[in-house]
Amino acid sequence: MSYISFYIFAFLFNFTVAFAKFDPSTIFASSKYAPSARFGHSAVLTDTKLYFHGGFNGNENSNDFFYLDVCQDFSITDIPWDNLPFPGTPRNHQASACIGGENDDLIFMFGGNVTGNPHFTSKFDITNEKCTNLTSSGRKKNDLWIFDSYKLTWDISIAPNAPQDILGYSAITLPGGTILYLGGKYTSNGGLAPMGVGASGPAPPSRYYFSAVLTSDRRIIMFGGIGEDGSNLGDLWILDSETYEWSAENITNPNGLTINSHTATL
């Protein structure tokens, strides 16, 4: 089994990289740009740059847009952020984002808790550094829509056995083209979805607003979230997407990090 490293970006009260021991007072000591504290932001990796957008900063939704070039050497106490000052981007949190377009040079941002922007979809052109709002539609909360990032069009999928309306879940696209939906909270009754997904082994406690990433050897690494009692979680679980078996991993977490609404990027 191979071992990997990944960063969990929190922006909660202080910018936090999980499982690393450091003095929070030294964060951004000499960075040219220092993102403010936030949660519910979106993050997407394209080429060597990890882009971040939005989030709630404790007072209002943000439209901050910035990135980190992950190919350069950097310390967690001095992260070389680059700011992208584009006032046209929407103010939101809990939105989703992905890469698309013919050259994978477009960032699409979908939904979220939006302030002052009626558009469900926004497009950022990385090459031309331009943000555009796109017209889109939708009605039900548990419907499945497919967005064509080449044609910039939407189509609804008539998928059988659709689950209840749900929020705060994670969607993982497996190499074979299957999308695996994990966890979440039902908006109809406030209950949490089971984490078993037909897998063997002890299943993790139910949760929402957690992070999940897929490794090259098809393991899904899940961390944190909000549990049944409403408290933040700090446990790490791994789902083998080939055998569908859960396992709980012992992690080095000296600061006792418990968190939700963060992002994790491999």
Side-chain angles (χ1 to χ4, degrees):
M1 177 180 294
S2 60
Y3 293 88
I4 53 91
S5 298
F6 65 99
Y7 292 104
I8 292 178
F9 291 94
F11 298 98
L12 287 174
F13 307 114
N14 266 309
F15 182 90
T16 304
V17 179
F19 317 146
K21 189 173 183 179
F22 59 90
D23 179 0
S25 65
T26 65
I27 298 300
F28 305 131
S30 60
S31 294
K32 294 181 180 179
Y33 170 71
S36 61
R38 70 194 63 211
F39 67 91
H41 50 282
S42 61
V44 62
L45 179 69
T46 171
D47 196 16
T48 67
K49 293 180 179 178
L50 182 56
Y51 288 87
F52 295 86
H53 175 262
F56 189 76
N57 62 20
N59 297 308
E60 61 181 357
N61 287 341
S62 170
N63 67 342
D64 292 351
F65 200 34
F66 52 97
Y67 70 87
L68 169 67
D69 190 333
V70 296
C71 274
Q72 61 186 317
D73 292 332
F74 62 89
S75 165
I76 61 171
T77 58
D78 185 19
I79 298 179
W81 299 105
D82 282 287
N83 186 27
L84 296 170
F86 297 111
T89 58
R91 292 184 174 272
N92 62 20
H93 76 276
Q94 304 296 4
S96 60
C98 69
I99 293 295
E102 294 185 11
N103 300 312
D104 286 336
D105 58 353
L106 303 176
I107 297 176
F108 294 94
M109 295 169 282
F110 304 98
N113 186 319
V114 184
T115 300
N117 188 334
H119 300 277
F120 177 73
T121 309
S122 297
K123 177 189 70 173
F124 177 74
D125 188 320
I126 298 171
T127 303
N128 298 315
E129 296 190 342
K130 180 180 179 181
C131 187
T132 307
N133 292 319
L134 304 178
T135 302
S136 55
S137 62
R139 293 292 183 267
K140 301 185 295 181
K141 295 180 180 179
N142 66 334
D143 45 8
L144 178 63
W145 288 80
I146 300 173
F147 180 71
D148 190 320
S149 69
Y150 286 23
K151 300 178 181 178
L152 306 183
T153 57
W154 285 96
D155 288 299
I156 190 168
S157 173
I158 310 301
N161 303 318
Q164 301 178 46
D165 48 308
I166 198 167
L167 59 82
Y169 59 89
S170 287
I172 299 291
T173 303
L174 302 178
T178 299
I179 301 176
L180 184 64
Y181 296 94
L182 295 173
K185 181 178 183 179
Y186 298 121
T187 59
S188 57
N189 58 22
L192 302 189
M195 300 294 296
V197 294
S200 60
S206 296
R207 65 195 65 204
Y208 63 106
Y209 289 145
F210 56 96
S211 64
V213 293
L214 179 68
T215 69
S216 58
D217 59 359
R218 302 190 63 168
R219 291 178 297 150
I220 297 172
I221 301 178
M222 181 185 73
F223 179 75
I226 304 176
E228 291 277 6
D229 62 356
S231 62
N232 288 346
L233 301 173
D235 52 346
L236 186 146
W237 290 75
I238 293 179
L239 175 64
D240 188 319
S241 66
E242 292 188 324
T243 63
Y244 280 93
E245 182 177 3
W246 281 106
S247 61
E249 294 295 312
N250 294 321
I251 59 175
T252 302
N253 192 358
N255 298 318
L257 180 67
T258 60
I259 200 169
N260 78 81
S261 302
H262 55 286
T263 60
T265 305
L266 184 66

